[in-house]
Amino acid sequence: MTIERSLVLVKPDGYARGLSGEVLRRIEAKGYTLVALAVTSPTREQLAAHYAEHEGKPFYEPLLEFMSSGPVTAAVIEGQGCIPGFRSLAGATNPTEAAPGSIRGDLGRDWGEKVQKNIVHGSDSPESAAREIAIWFPNL
């Protein structure tokens, strides 16, 4: 495996519950390095760019509304295999189905249809990571 970078977001639900520190602790405990870190209130333009592949889907507008509902903690992490590694650490998208020991399995709540309230986002590929990091950390 090669050293790679990934974008991690602690979403507004996780930020509001004070879980940023716990998420970052788990990332560092896994052996990944924090390269960049910011607490920010994302703009609609930033979110539209981030979620561009979902434009036109029924959940697109509710997702943008949710993600702009409060601050997020944005981080760039680095490490060997950190993209699949963080996604495993995050757990299944639906917190109810996420395994114990994962971020969503331990800290997530059952929000019914509002699966976007699942504490964290992690890039799903090297290409997505590069695109997302450029949106959230343009000077990196």
Side-chain angles (χ1 to χ4, degrees):
M1 292 203 160
T2 60
I3 300 295
E4 55 192 13
R5 286 185 173 180
S6 181
L7 178 76
V8 172
L9 300 176
V10 178
K11 295 179 177 183
D13 60 321
Y15 184 88
R17 291 178 53 208
L19 297 176
S20 296
E22 176 62 15
V23 170
L24 296 172
R25 184 196 68 74
R26 289 178 184 222
I27 288 168
E28 291 184 314
K30 185 82 172 169
Y32 303 135
T33 302
L34 295 172
V35 175
L37 184 63
V39 173
T40 184
S41 294
T43 65
R44 179 163 176 91
E45 295 76 25
Q46 191 175 29
L47 293 169
H50 182 91
Y51 291 110
E53 70 271 17
H54 299 304
E55 189 172 6
K57 295 178 182 173
F59 61 86
Y60 178 75
E61 285 300 327
L63 178 59
L64 266 55
E65 185 177 316
F66 163 65
M67 288 297 295
S68 62
S69 68
V72 301
T73 301
V76 176
I77 64 170
E78 184 177 80
Q80 190 172 3
C82 74
I83 293 172
F86 177 76
R87 290 180 67 79
S88 177
L89 185 64
T93 303
N94 185 334
T96 302
E97 299 168 0
S102 68
I103 292 167
R104 293 175 179 144
D106 291 351
L107 308 172
R109 294 181 174 170
D110 182 0
W111 293 99
E113 295 294 315
K114 298 188 182 287
V115 186
Q116 70 260 29
K117 290 185 176 183
N118 60 4
I119 303 174
V120 293
H121 162 84
S123 303
D124 64 4
S125 68
E127 297 77 21
S128 292
R131 183 181 64 79
E132 293 171 355
I133 289 168
I135 293 166
W136 293 87
F137 295 93
N139 296 324
L140 193 58

